[in-house]
């Protein structure tokens, strides 16, 4: 599973923050984390379903198409 870690080293200038106090990068990471969470939950449910034989290649393609996630960022290992 992929983990995104973001550390804020220096204070962001006030003119670069949105009304809720996030920078553009922080907003991007916040929205992206929900997509990764949904894709992970769907994958776990699929893996727990014993009736379906798991095919990693077709599953990676499904996740890429549904969530727009590159294989580089979401691949089961």
């Amino acid at each position: 599973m992929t983990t995104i870690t973001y550390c804020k080293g220096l204070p962001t200038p006030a003119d670069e923050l949105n009304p809720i106090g996030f920078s553009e990068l922080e907003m991007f990471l916040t929205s992206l984390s929900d997509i990764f969470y949904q894709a992970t939950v769907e994958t776990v449910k699929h893996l727990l379903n014993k009736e379906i034989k798991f095919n990693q290649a077709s599953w990676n393609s499904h996740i890429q198409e549904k969530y727009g996630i590159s294989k580089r960022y979401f691949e089961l290992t």
Side-chain angles (χ1 to χ4, degrees):
M1 184 157 85
T2 303
T3 303
I4 297 175
T5 304
Y6 169 68
C7 297
K8 193 170 189 173
L10 298 172
T12 304
D15 62 337
E16 294 180 16
L17 299 176
N18 65 14
I20 61 172
F22 283 179
S23 66
E24 287 186 33
L25 176 62
E26 290 167 323
M27 290 301 295
F28 171 74
L29 293 175
T30 301
S31 64
L32 189 64
S33 66
D34 186 47
I35 293 169
F36 275 106
Y37 176 77
Q38 291 173 11
T40 301
V41 168
E42 184 176 349
T43 300
V44 169
K45 286 181 181 178
H46 186 74
L47 288 170
L48 292 175
N49 186 352
K50 302 282 184 187
E51 299 171 6
I52 301 172
K53 184 175 182 199
F54 184 75
N55 180 326
Q56 184 172 348
S58 65
W59 187 253
N60 284 343
S61 296
H62 166 74
I63 292 296
Q64 290 171 33
E65 291 170 10
K66 183 172 182 179
Y67 295 101
I69 300 172
S70 169
K71 181 179 179 183
R72 179 178 184 185
Y73 300 111
F74 188 86
E75 183 175 334
L76 297 173
T77 54

